[in-house]
Amino acid sequence: MDQAKEFLNLKQYLFSIAYKITGSYQDSEDILQEAYLKWIESDSQDIKSIKAYIGTIVARLSLDLLKKSSRRKETYIGPYLPEPIPTRIEDETDDRVEFAFLVILETLNPMERAVYILREAFDYEYEEIAKVVDRTPVNCRRIFSRAQEAIKSRKKKFEPDTKTHKKLFLEFLLASHKKDPRNFSKLLCEQIVVLSDGGGKVHAARIPILGKERVIQFLLRTISIGSKDTEFYLCQVNSSPALVGYKKDTPVSVQILDYENNGIVGVYNILNPDKLHAFSKMEALLRWKVIQKLDWFLVLKMKLGFYFS
């Protein structure tokens, strides 16, 4: 088997490493291209495990990029959210990661995130991680423990089951359609937050919207503004039901919800066009049945029992 085929066989695994560490679809694609060049330039005859070798290259490139990105995030305009991807892409990787968890990962520093992902998601030994992050295995163990505690303190104590998750999403869509604050009030938790990532490139709220009453007013206001000339599609995004907006076949928004205690605790609006590359091939997504045109009669049928498959 030649080097190109060997790399292609590992592509989805490698993409998963890059995406989980960086939280960026576009950067992950770039990292894989750079890793491929490094791979074909290497002497593969002396490599014991091709998977481990290329995985280490991708992990190092991901950590380097994450360090650079963390400096850019300091001057980022408004809330910073990860790049969403259609679940079809993630289905081909080793395992999937929910968008809400990617948001939690953004609270870790680059070293903590890389160590945590390599250990928790890919079961790397500390000796292997040490080679990636240029630390001792003992230090890596400490970093992982610190990251694990940080994530544990932020993770929800209770998450609704998949059926409840989907039901809440459909009810949120119907509440948006009816524009009735009472319907929203039944669905939203008191501690709800709305984060809108426009990156300074499109109009978006530059601060988090906190609390049920403020969020309801924000939702009612933005629903009336944002629906003009926009077509909406149902989609599974990072393993969660989501709403994707298109203008003239160009993706302009992805909205994902977060849930806790049978209520909605977070609304994530990704509006920065640089973060919507994974949704740019609209015709292909339709053909693959990854996205489905929003139809209110269909949503009502789903709410009555015909949920997402």
Side-chain angles (χ1 to χ4, degrees), residues 4-122:
K5 288 183 179 179
E6 288 170 327
F7 189 89
L8 285 174
N9 287 341
L10 294 169
K11 184 177 178 182
Q12 296 304 328
Y13 166 76
L14 300 172
F15 177 87
S16 185
I17 293 176
Y19 181 68
K20 287 178 172 63
I21 292 178
T22 65
S24 169
Y25 169 83
Q26 191 64 37
D27 287 339
S28 297
E29 290 288 321
D30 294 340
I31 285 169
L32 259 61
Q33 289 185 32
E34 187 173 351
Y36 175 70
L37 294 176
K38 289 181 178 295
W39 164 237
I40 61 175
E41 292 170 358
S42 66
D43 184 2
S44 58
Q45 300 297 322
D46 298 328
I47 297 172
K48 295 180 180 179
S49 170
I50 294 173
K51 183 177 180 179
Y53 181 81
I54 308 179
T56 297
I57 292 175
V58 169
R60 283 174 178 166
L61 292 172
S62 300
L63 176 58
D64 289 344
L65 189 143
L66 193 60
K67 290 176 179 177
K68 296 175 184 176
S69 298
S70 66
R71 291 191 287 271
R72 293 201 302 268
K73 290 174 187 177
E74 294 175 1
T75 57
Y76 195 81
I77 298 174
Y80 184 95
L81 291 171
E83 288 184 38
I85 58 176
T87 297
R88 177 185 172 90
I89 295 175
E90 268 201 313
D91 274 340
E92 298 173 353
T93 63
D94 293 326
D95 58 326
R96 295 176 287 178
V97 57
E98 291 190 359
F99 190 83
F101 188 66
L102 286 174
V103 174
I104 294 176
L105 288 175
E106 289 293 338
T107 63
L108 302 179
N109 66 44
M111 185 67 68
E112 290 172 340
R113 180 166 180 163
V115 170
Y116 180 84
I117 290 298
L118 292 174
R119 180 64 179 171
E120 184 72 14
F122 298 99

Side-chain angles (χ1 to χ4, degrees), residues 81-225:
L81 291 171
E83 288 184 38
I85 58 176
T87 297
R88 177 185 172 90
I89 295 175
E90 268 201 313
D91 274 340
E92 298 173 353
T93 63
D94 293 326
D95 58 326
R96 295 176 287 178
V97 57
E98 291 190 359
F99 190 83
F101 188 66
L102 286 174
V103 174
I104 294 176
L105 288 175
E106 289 293 338
T107 63
L108 302 179
N109 66 44
M111 185 67 68
E112 290 172 340
R113 180 166 180 163
V115 170
Y116 180 84
I117 290 298
L118 292 174
R119 180 64 179 171
E120 184 72 14
F122 298 99
D123 201 28
Y124 271 47
E125 298 295 336
Y126 288 111
E127 289 75 14
E128 296 175 291
I129 298 173
K131 295 176 183 177
V132 173
V133 301
D134 196 25
R135 294 288 191 275
T136 67
V138 172
N139 282 339
C140 290
R141 189 183 295 274
R142 290 171 181 166
I143 293 169
F144 175 77
S145 179
R146 188 167 64 242
Q148 193 176 41
E149 285 300 314
I151 288 174
K152 185 178 178 180
S153 68
R154 294 180 176 94
K155 285 191 73 173
K156 299 182 289 291
K157 294 181 180 179
F158 171 77
E159 296 182 15
D161 57 40
T162 302
K163 186 175 179 180
T164 303
H165 188 151
K166 294 170 182 176
K167 183 174 181 290
L168 286 169
F169 173 74
L170 295 171
E171 289 178 344
F172 181 84
L173 290 182
L174 290 171
S176 300
H177 182 56
K178 294 178 180 178
K179 300 178 183 178
D180 187 342
R182 292 172 297 180
N183 291 336
F184 277 128
S185 185
K186 295 175 184 177
L187 299 172
L188 308 183
C189 296
E190 290 294 338
Q191 69 273 27
I192 189 170
V193 59
V194 174
L195 299 177
S196 299
D197 182 342
K201 299 193 174 186
V202 297
H203 180 71
R206 296 191 175 186
I207 59 172
I209 310 299
L210 303 169
K212 183 187 287 190
E213 293 305 317
R214 290 188 64 197
V215 166
I216 290 173
Q217 293 305 313
F218 174 81
L219 291 173
L220 293 173
R221 187 170 66 253
T222 54
I223 287 167
S224 61
I225 294 173

